Amino acid sequence: MRRLVAFLLFIIAAIGGHALTLHLVPSVIMDTAQSRLADQGLPLHQWAASPRMTPQTQTIVRPSPDLSYSVCRFDVRDGPVLISAPGWDGYGSLSIFDDRTNNVFVANLDGENAEVLILPLSDKDALITPDLADKERVLIAEGLGLALIRRVAPDAQLHEAAVSLIDQSTCKVIRQY
Amino acid sequence: MKSLLFWILSACLGAVVGVISALFMAGLLSVGPKIGGTVDVGGWTSDWSIGSESANPYVRARVARHGLLALRKEEAVYFTKSTDQSGNPLRETCVYRVEGSRLPATWWSITLYDSQSRLPMNTDRKLSFDKTKAEVTFGGDVAWLFDVRPSAINNEMPWVSSRGADEFDLTLRLYRPRADLLDDPVSVLDPPRITRLSCDGDDE
């Protein structure tokens, strides 16, 4: 009897640990990424451009030297977040990732601007001012997320031009909770 | 009391086994199975799970680890090759010619990475070849070629530098690929060919 109970406890704990680990891995990985960006001095709700990727500036594995990257950390627990990015002459995209690394939104920036309103599931019917009523909306389950802009910029001049577009990009809470 | 300790120990052991087996199955340890789709087109391989939505929790965990912030497949797909047409590893001590034809994407690039998945530590500013360079050099992207070599030579041939890379691979990125490529990459992609021209000690 004693051994049977021990065996059952072993099996139950193994199944529970297995399932819980698989469930938590994406969140832990995104938390780590958020923490690293915060440690590098990137505050919430502010776009920042990465330096041009060269052998000397690379900080991640397999960086693309042909792309310009800009990133913004956001938190919908502070309120609905409006994210926008101007278009680009060439390949470009705006991607939104939730706190479980899911790519919940992507927009084309090839010659066209992109704009999206990020709302928490708990406030999906948030009262939005009339000027924002027609914006595309994305719902995310939890608080923190990442917005990422990629633009093809294979030389230094194009990279500078891509970085300069940060001033025309938006990543802000539009109504504080 | 002894029984209680025995049961607690059994539960703890079970939990540890559960955690390790999950990490193993999801490919998050240095060894383990790779659940999900690998595509191989003429030796150019791609993890077809990255950038796609999967309900499989093992694939989701692996993609979170190895494809963090990756673009959706509709936005970009990646293929990597680490051998030449004869199956020999790509080495800094050799010179290669890479030839290709029109690729099914809005824009593409081919970048060289060393065995640590880093850009090689050199200052040649020849890290990649792309569609724009093909169009400028060859008047279009119908047919193009470039060399991979550790140093420049005095000719007009575009090149990518392998200086400082030791053993390396080439990664082909296809931005906004055509839908038929996503459906059937093996039939649609005409993979670039990597031919070894010479190695140290050979007559170039």
Side-chain angles (χ1 to χ4, degrees):
Chain A
M1 180 64 182
R2 182 169 166 252
R3 286 187 178 178
L4 179 62
V5 171
F7 178 71
L8 288 174
L9 284 171
F10 176 89
I11 294 296
I12 292 167
I15 292 171
H18 192 93
L20 189 64
T21 300
L22 290 176
H23 178 73
L24 290 179
V25 161
S27 302
V28 169
I29 287 171
M30 193 50 136
D31 280 350
T32 305
Q34 288 274 5
S35 298
R36 281 187 185 163
L37 288 169
D39 291 345
Q40 289 168 18
L42 180 64
L44 284 170
H45 309 130
Q46 187 171 307
W47 283 107
S50 296
R52 187 162 182 238
M53 288 297 166
T54 68
Q56 291 71 36
T57 62
Q58 59 188 328
T59 54
I60 55 173
V61 294
R62 294 190 178 269
S64 172
D66 311 305
L67 291 184
S68 158
Y69 298 93
S70 299
V71 65
C72 173
R73 302 171 55 232
F74 63 82
D75 190 344
V76 291
R77 285 171 297 198
D78 296 339
V81 175
L82 180 66
I83 291 174
S84 74
W88 181 245
D89 184 16
Y91 172 83
S93 66
L94 167 65
S95 306
I96 308 290
F97 298 88
D98 69 10
D99 75 320
R100 290 183 52 77
T101 75
N102 296 310
N103 184 187
V104 294
F105 173 84
V106 64
N108 189 344
L109 293 179
D110 305 16
E112 50 189 289
N113 302 336
E115 201 165 37
V116 61
L117 199 55
I118 315 292
L119 295 166
L121 269 175
S122 57
D123 192 24
K124 62 181 181 181
D125 298 319
L127 289 174
I128 304 297
T129 52
D131 59 313
L132 297 171
D134 62 339
K135 306 290 182 213
E136 186 166 355
R137 299 182 184 199
V138 170
L139 302 174
I140 65 172
E142 296 295 335
L144 283 165
L146 281 177
L148 186 61
I149 297 173
R150 293 174 170 93
R151 293 187 174 96
V152 165
D155 61 46
Q157 194 176 355
L158 282 168
H159 186 266
E160 281 304 306
V163 169
S164 71
L165 290 176
I166 276 197
D167 294 340
Q168 300 169 44
S169 309
T170 307
C171 183
K172 65 178 181 184
V173 174
I174 57 166
R175 177 171 56 79
Q176 289 284 346
Y177 286 136
Chain B
M1 187 65 182
K2 256 186 175 180
S3 292
L4 185 62
L5 279 176
F6 183 53
W7 290 337
I8 290 172
L9 190 64
S10 299
C12 289
L13 193 61
V16 169
V17 169
V19 169
I20 292 174
S21 63
L23 296 175
F24 176 80
M25 292 292 289
L28 300 179
L29 302 178
S30 55
V31 293
K34 188 175 172 183
I35 298 172
T38 297
V39 168
D40 185 329
V41 189
W44 291 84
T45 60
S46 179
D47 185 340
W48 224 236
S49 304
I50 291 177
S52 59
E53 291 182 11
S54 172
N56 184 320
Y58 301 103
V59 174
R60 287 175 61 85
R62 184 169 58 79
V63 170
R65 170 68 180 85
H66 298 292
L68 180 64
L69 308 185
L71 286 163
R72 289 182 190 174
K73 289 223 306 272
E74 292 76 13
E75 288 293 309
V77 292
Y78 314 90
F79 290 86
T80 296
K81 195 169 197 292
S82 57
T83 57
D84 62 19
Q85 293 306 105
S86 303
N88 297 310
L90 302 175
R91 299 178 194 280
E92 176 188 355
T93 50
C94 298
V95 176
Y96 302 91
R97 177 147 299 169
V98 183
E99 299 172 85
S101 56
R102 178 165 287 160
L103 294 166
T106 301
W107 199 79
W108 53 265
S109 66
I110 298 176
T111 308
L112 186 151
Y113 296 98
D114 66 18
S115 58
Q116 306 300 310
S117 293
R118 315 273 295 178
L119 298 168
M121 287 301 287
N122 63 54
T123 53
D124 293 329
R125 297 186 178 183
K126 297 288 183 184
L127 301 167
S128 63
F129 185 78
D130 57 51
K131 181 182 178 183
T132 307
K133 289 172 184 155
E135 289 173 340
V136 169
T137 311
F138 302 106
D141 66 338
V142 174
W144 47 266
L145 53 89
F146 67 94
D147 285 351
V148 178
R149 53 174 60 247
S151 58
I153 58 171
N154 191 20
N155 68 10
E156 297 294 313
M157 177 66 73
W159 66 291
V160 167
S161 176
S162 59
R163 185 160 63 94
D166 196 10
E167 284 199 11
F168 62 87
D169 62 57
L170 297 176
T171 290
L172 167 65
R173 291 182 169 91
L174 298 166
Y175 293 98
R176 210 153 283 144
R178 280 192 344 228
D180 57 345
L181 174 80
L182 301 181
D183 292 340
D184 187 4
V186 176
S187 300
V188 173
L189 180 65
D190 180 13
R193 292 161 299 284
I194 307 171
T195 307
R196 190 173 77 181
L197 299 182
S198 64
C199 288
D200 269 1
D202 296 348
D203 290 330
E204 195 172 316

